[in-house]
Amino acid sequence: MNTISDTAKASSSDDTAGASKSAGGRHSLLLIESDQPCREQVQKALTKLGYTVTLVDNGVEAIGCFDPAGHDLVVTDLHLPDMGGLEVLRKVKAMCEETPVVVLASNSEVSDVVQALRLGASDYLLKPVADEDVITHAITRVTEAQDLARENRAYREQLEARNQELHEHIELLQRDHEAGRQLQQHLLPRSPYHYPAGIEAAYRLQPSLYLSGDFIDYGLFGERFVGFYLVDVSGHGVSSALVTALIKHSIMHLLRERPLFSQLNTIDKDLTDILEMINAELIGTSLDKHASMFVGVVDSRARQLHYAVAGQVPMPALVTSEGAHWLTGKGRPLGLFHRGGWEVRHCTLPSSWRLVTCSDGVLELLDGDLLQKEAQLLQMIDRSRGDLDSLCAALKVDTAESFPDDITILTLRQDLAAD
């Protein structure tokens, strides 16, 4: 066995220069050839390409000295004195499938060349080789293909690693979102909830994503006032859900500062104070978020509804024995203008009534333009008599797999014996 090392020299041939560049960092090649003239010709061309050539003249010695980590390429004659070149090819491929093999064959061994290609040979050269350019072209093709395969393998490994990182990141986000969803659910009130004087509050909230930009709350103040609100924050997902938490926190903070809805003569001011506070919060945070809101108080003793709206679409509906109708009111959304023009309105309630408030996501479940959708929704509210379960069934809120927007329906009801 002889080892010959040579440094590639500049060549006037563009192909040789290109092949040297393609060979790049490869420095070791195993050449198996017993025919001396052919061996010298191939060896000379390979050393010009920048390879260190390990030269052997039989198959047994070649298999013994082949190093998958050390030999970047194998060139073997198909006709060797001790074993067939096809057997050498099989053994090399068995030891390292990725090592490219180029076979040398005479014109009479064309069938063996076909078999060699089937066994995984990368290319072939027919002897006698016309000149070094033929060798250069063949090795260039093989090394370029090897480069491409190596790059593709590296890209694939990088892609798999990044996909794994992405998968882990998505799992982490899903766990975080699920934790956030559970926290948001924990902040919501119980449904249904029964208050004195036969007032019941209930809701259905279906987020379009893990977290909802819709939020509702209600509570008893003193012995006669039931306060409530529905807020719909623009956008979806985490940022909108965080704003709903901010709104609840702000209202709770205001409750700690002073008693809300404790006196009949301050209810209207309390309602507008809530809207002004949330409006200032949204503008001050610079989160580029706005919200619509319906906030109200039921005076169970006087049977009167005090309420205000801020950009609410659709308007709340009141259902009585005479049917369902939209409440009136006006006011700009929160978080867009320093002055929203909000006003508190009053409505006398009969002995039996239902109040239905929906976020605008409900309209996405209906067909037509806005006026047609509102008309359909009012008909559904009327047919359901303001019953939450019946309305949700009509809108298919509980059976749909996904929603284009957050869906929230808040209902309040009271049934008293007629005077």
Side-chain angles (χ1 to χ4, degrees):
M1 178 178 68
N2 301 312
T3 300
I4 303 174
S5 181
D6 193 9
T7 302
K9 298 180 180 179
S11 170
S12 59
S13 169
D14 291 340
D15 290 334
T16 302
S20 298
K21 181 179 181 180
S22 177
R26 291 169 194 78
H27 300 289
S28 184
L29 179 148
L30 180 62
L31 174 60
I32 313 163
E33 176 59 81
S34 59
D35 179 64
Q36 183 175 355
C38 181
R39 181 173 67 232
E40 291 177 351
Q41 183 185 27
V42 174
Q43 173 187 309
K44 181 180 178 182
L46 294 175
T47 53
K48 284 185 178 181
L49 288 175
Y51 283 102
T52 295
V53 180
T54 301
L55 179 63
V56 295
D57 58 9
N58 63 83
V60 173
E61 187 177 2
I63 297 304
C65 73
F66 172 64
D67 178 11
H71 293 124
D72 303 293
L73 180 66
V74 173
V75 179
T76 182
D77 195 344
L78 288 180
H79 183 69
L80 297 172
D82 56 344
M83 70 169 65
L86 292 177
E87 184 64 20
V88 172
L89 172 60
R90 288 191 185 94
K91 291 182 180 296
V92 168
K93 287 295 181 180
M95 296 172 68
C96 183
E97 178 67 25
E98 296 179 355
T99 300
V101 178
V102 177
V103 297
L104 298 165
S106 64
N107 289 326
S108 62
E109 296 173 316
V110 173
S111 60
D112 288 339
V113 169
V114 174
Q115 182 64 17
L117 295 175
R118 289 175 178 171
L119 292 174
S122 299
D123 208 339
Y124 66 93
L125 293 169
L126 293 179
K127 299 192 299 183
V129 180
D131 54 46
E132 292 182 6
D133 286 344
V134 175
I135 302 172
T136 296
H137 291 157
I139 299 302
T140 298
R141 286 194 300 269
V142 171
T143 54
E144 287 178 348
Q146 190 179 25
D147 280 342
L148 182 60
R150 184 180 288 108
E151 290 174 1
N152 287 340
R153 185 166 57 253
Y155 291 150
R156 187 168 57 250
E157 290 172 353
Q158 291 176 8
L159 181 60
E160 290 174 355
R162 290 177 180 176
N163 283 341
Q164 180 62 30
E165 291 176 0
L166 180 60
H167 179 71
E168 294 173 354
H169 184 61
I170 289 174
E171 286 187 340
L172 178 61
L173 286 177
Q174 288 176 338
R175 290 195 297 270
D176 288 346
H177 285 175
E178 183 58 34
R181 182 173 187 169
Q182 292 181 17
L183 176 60
Q184 190 176 49
Q185 292 291 323
H186 181 73
L187 294 175
L188 290 166
R190 283 184 291 169
S191 177
Y193 197 87
H194 299 275
Y195 294 104
I199 296 177
E200 178 193 274
Y203 68 91
R204 193 82 88 250
L205 192 156
Q206 296 284 8
S208 60
L209 300 173
Y210 274 93
L211 298 169
S212 174
D214 291 356
F215 195 79
I216 62 99
D217 204 358
Y218 38 73
L220 179 65
F221 297 84
E223 297 180 353
R224 60 185 287 190
F225 302 115
V226 176
F228 59 90
Y229 67 85
L230 184 152
V231 63
D232 181 358
V233 179
S234 61
H236 307 280
V238 176
S239 60
S240 297
L242 289 175
V243 173
T244 67
L246 172 64
I247 291 172
K248 180 177 176 68
H249 171 77
S250 298
I251 294 176
M252 296 303 295
H253 182 72
L254 186 60
L255 280 168
R256 288 192 295 270
E257 288 186 342
R258 76 168 197 262
L260 294 175
F261 313 134
S262 59
Q263 300 293 329
L264 181 60
N265 60 357
T266 62
I267 286 180
D268 291 2
K269 183 178 186 306
D270 291 340
L271 291 172
T272 55
D273 283 351
I274 288 174
L275 294 176
E276 289 173 357
M277 175 195 63
I278 297 173
N279 185 64
E281 289 273 8
L282 293 180
I283 292 175
T285 55
S286 301
L287 292 175
D288 194 27
K289 291 288 183 181
H290 62 274
S292 63
M293 190 171 187
F294 172 56
V295 57
V297 173
V298 174
D299 181 350
S300 62
R301 184 179 301 172
R303 288 206 307 222
Q304 191 169 45
L305 171 65
H306 303 246
Y307 68 92
V309 295
Q312 178 67 30
V313 177
M315 288 293 290
L318 183 65
V319 184
T320 66
S321 60
E322 298 178 355
H325 67 274
W326 298 121
L327 295 180
T328 60
K330 63 180 181 178
R332 293 173 174 175
L334 305 172
L336 295 177
F337 308 96
H338 289 283
R339 295 184 179 275
W342 309 293
E343 58 184 26
V344 177
R345 299 202 175 189
H346 310 93
C347 177
T348 300
L349 300 171
S351 59
S352 180
W353 55 270
R354 309 284 189 274
L355 180 64
V356 180
T357 308
C358 304
S359 65
D360 63 0
V362 171
L363 298 177
E364 298 297 326
L365 306 177
L366 304 172
D367 298 322
D369 59 27
L370 178 59
L371 292 178
Q372 291 171 330
K373 291 180 177 181
E374 289 181 331
Q376 291 178 57
L377 179 58
L378 189 61
Q379 290 175 3
M380 290 182 174
I381 293 173
D382 189 31
R383 286 195 294 265
S384 69
R385 303 303 300 155
D387 179 72
L388 179 62
D389 291 336
S390 299
L391 180 57
C392 287
L395 290 166
K396 300 179 180 177
V397 170
D398 296 326
T399 56
E401 294 183 357
S402 61
F403 302 98
D405 195 1
D406 300 326
I407 305 293
T408 302
I409 302 174
L410 168 65
T411 64
L412 285 92
R413 61 188 292 174
Q414 185 179 35
D415 292 294
L416 297 173
D419 294 338

